[in-house]
Amino acid sequence: MDPAPDVQLVLAYDKILPLHSSVLARHSKRFASILTQELSAFLCQRAKQQGVTIRWRIELRGELDTMGQLIQSDSSGTMIPLNENGKVPTKYFDHYTGIIGTFYGQELTLNDFSIQSALEDAVGLIEVAEYLGSVAAVSKNIDLALVKQGQVLFRSIANNPLEWVDLAVRITSEIIFKEAVVHLVGRWNEWSSTQKSTLGKDVKRVCVKHADRLSRQRRALELQMGVMYPGGITHPPGAAPVKRDTYAADIMMWMALSLFRQWLIQHVIQEKTLRAKDGGFALYKQLSEAGDKYLSRQTIAPFFRNFPMTKKGQNVFENHLLELKEVIKETVSKSGIMESESALDMGKHSVPWLTCTVVDKTDFPWVKKGPMLGQKRTREEMNETEENEVDWDEDLDANADNKRARE
């Protein structure tokens, strides 16, 4: 037989919950501080015989009249938020009953009419949980209720990561935090200094670290594309005597390489790469798709007016350019910059920014980090910077492996 309730929680005149002190104290720090023997009522034998079990009565500060209006004296404040009509929002009581319900093993539900309503519900619930000192007891329930939204949740995070990352930290949600940081970093150039200042200290540190890492990754890729030579046009010193005719046979590929580098430099000068608002996403996407996505036949028509060729010569040139694009495409692919670490279904809901940021457990603000771990990560970042420096001699050796068919 379950024990009788010994606590009466009064949320409003018509919202009185009979509860158990042991349950409340186990899940809430605030209730634990209130439900002490010193603050309990002493029940005489007669009261017990009459079935009286309530030893604590807890009320929200401030009272409501029969119309739901707040009755408040000048000497006391209120913790009840009012709407513009001076009435207590019904959802506030729902949040209290929802949080307390989880103490008794009940599933927490959110208003899933829209993701915005679900977010508002989640924020309201966590505010009540923070007040009660029971975040640890309900955070996973809130996290689970949100994650059940699936792609609707992930689309909302992509659109508003600044708001979602704050909630993620408050409920210690690994999934939501990872997703928010991926989009925060991918859109880092979009955010103003004011928007960035709204991030918590630990969150901003994580975002700055990954934004810097992504910048180094993009810079290394652009440098690699700028100095690469497709295999077959380089001639090592140990090869047979290199004569003028040898280079003449490669002239079409050299012309294609020159045109590509001119096109790339124009985009760098116009700040359409790592300094662009989209972080260079549009450019890298073109490079990763190759084909006619850039420097198409129509685009290079002016080139042939300045450097006229026979129809056959144009076909040879275009084939070399397509061949070069495939080499570039493979280079972009190997860099991993177009990979997605987001849980968002990019096939249905693609976004115009990079989502390749890898967030690991050491990035979670609620994970304690020792000094040795911090020192190790610093050394790793230094090594990563060194690895991104492109060596010209090594680059030429690597390009020798890029074989191409001769026309």
Side-chain angles (χ1 to χ4, degrees), residues 265-312:
I265 290 172
Q266 286 177 329
H267 282 72
V268 172
I269 293 174
Q270 293 170 355
E271 297 192 340
K272 293 183 178 180
T273 55
L274 61 90
R275 297 185 184 278
K277 279 210 167 183
D278 68 350
F281 173 82
L283 172 66
Y284 305 136
K285 189 172 187 294
Q286 287 180 303
L287 295 171
S288 68
E289 294 176 345
D292 288 335
K293 295 299 181 179
Y294 66 101
L295 290 177
S296 63
R297 178 171 294 181
Q298 293 77 14
T299 305
I300 64 175
F303 178 82
F304 292 127
R305 288 198 292 269
N306 293 323
F307 304 95
M309 304 178 188
T310 63
K311 190 63 178 178
K312 182 179 179 180

Side-chain angles (χ1 to χ4, degrees), residues 249-407:
D250 299 324
I251 186 61
M252 288 297 189
M253 178 55 86
W254 276 101
M255 292 176 71
L257 182 60
S258 176
L259 180 61
F260 169 77
R261 286 182 178 172
Q262 177 184 326
W263 178 85
L264 181 63
I265 290 172
Q266 286 177 329
H267 282 72
V268 172
I269 293 174
Q270 293 170 355
E271 297 192 340
K272 293 183 178 180
T273 55
L274 61 90
R275 297 185 184 278
K277 279 210 167 183
D278 68 350
F281 173 82
L283 172 66
Y284 305 136
K285 189 172 187 294
Q286 287 180 303
L287 295 171
S288 68
E289 294 176 345
D292 288 335
K293 295 299 181 179
Y294 66 101
L295 290 177
S296 63
R297 178 171 294 181
Q298 293 77 14
T299 305
I300 64 175
F303 178 82
F304 292 127
R305 288 198 292 269
N306 293 323
F307 304 95
M309 304 178 188
T310 63
K311 190 63 178 178
K312 182 179 179 180
Q314 290 183 16
N315 290 336
V316 172
F317 177 85
E318 290 172 1
N319 287 336
H320 281 306
L321 186 57
L322 288 171
E323 184 182 341
L324 174 60
K325 289 179 182 179
E326 288 300 316
V327 175
I328 298 296
K329 176 180 178 179
E330 184 179 357
T331 302
V332 175
S333 177
K334 287 181 178 179
S335 74
I337 206 163
M338 293 303 296
E339 296 292 327
S340 179
E341 295 295 325
S342 171
L344 190 64
D345 185 344
M346 293 300 174
K348 297 179 179 179
H349 314 293
S350 60
V351 292
W353 54 79
L354 299 172
T355 56
C356 58
T357 298
V358 178
V359 181
D360 56 42
K361 289 186 178 297
T362 59
D363 291 321
F364 299 145
W366 52 88
V367 175
K368 292 183 179 180
K369 303 172 180 65
M372 292 304 294
L373 178 61
Q375 292 172 10
K376 180 180 179 181
R377 290 184 66 78
T378 301
R379 289 196 296 271
E380 287 175 352
E381 291 177 4
M382 292 173 61
N383 291 337
E384 183 178 19
T385 303
E386 293 172 358
E387 289 173 0
N388 282 334
E389 295 295 332
V390 177
D391 186 282
W392 281 76
D393 293 332
E394 291 181 358
D395 188 69
L396 288 174
D397 293 340
N399 279 308
D401 296 329
N402 296 325
K403 303 302 179 184
R404 67 184 181 87
R406 293 281 183 173
E407 292 292 338

Side-chain angles (χ1 to χ4, degrees), residues 14-28:
D14 61 345
K15 295 184 184 296
I16 302 175
L17 305 178
L19 304 167
H20 302 81
S21 60
S22 59
V23 175
L24 296 178
R26 184 165 63 250
H27 293 93
S28 166

Side-chain angles (χ1 to χ4, degrees), residues 197-258:
S197 67
T198 63
L199 296 172
K201 179 181 177 181
D202 291 333
V203 174
K204 189 173 183 179
R205 174 185 56 79
V206 171
C207 290
V208 169
K209 180 191 75 172
H210 283 293
D212 290 345
R213 182 173 294 176
L214 182 57
S215 291
R216 293 196 297 271
Q217 185 180 358
R218 289 175 295 194
R219 190 175 289 110
L221 172 61
E222 292 166 18
L223 181 57
Q224 187 176 2
M225 291 188 296
V227 301
M228 71 182 306
Y229 297 91
I233 66 173
T234 56
H235 301 284
V242 181
K243 299 181 179 180
R244 183 175 58 187
D245 292 346
T246 304
Y247 287 109
D250 299 324
I251 186 61
M252 288 297 189
M253 178 55 86
W254 276 101
M255 292 176 71
L257 182 60
S258 176

Side-chain angles (χ1 to χ4, degrees), residues 130-143:
E130 288 173 341
Y131 175 77
L132 294 178
S134 56
V135 174
V138 302
S139 60
K140 294 306 176 187
N141 298 72
I142 297 175
D143 188 18

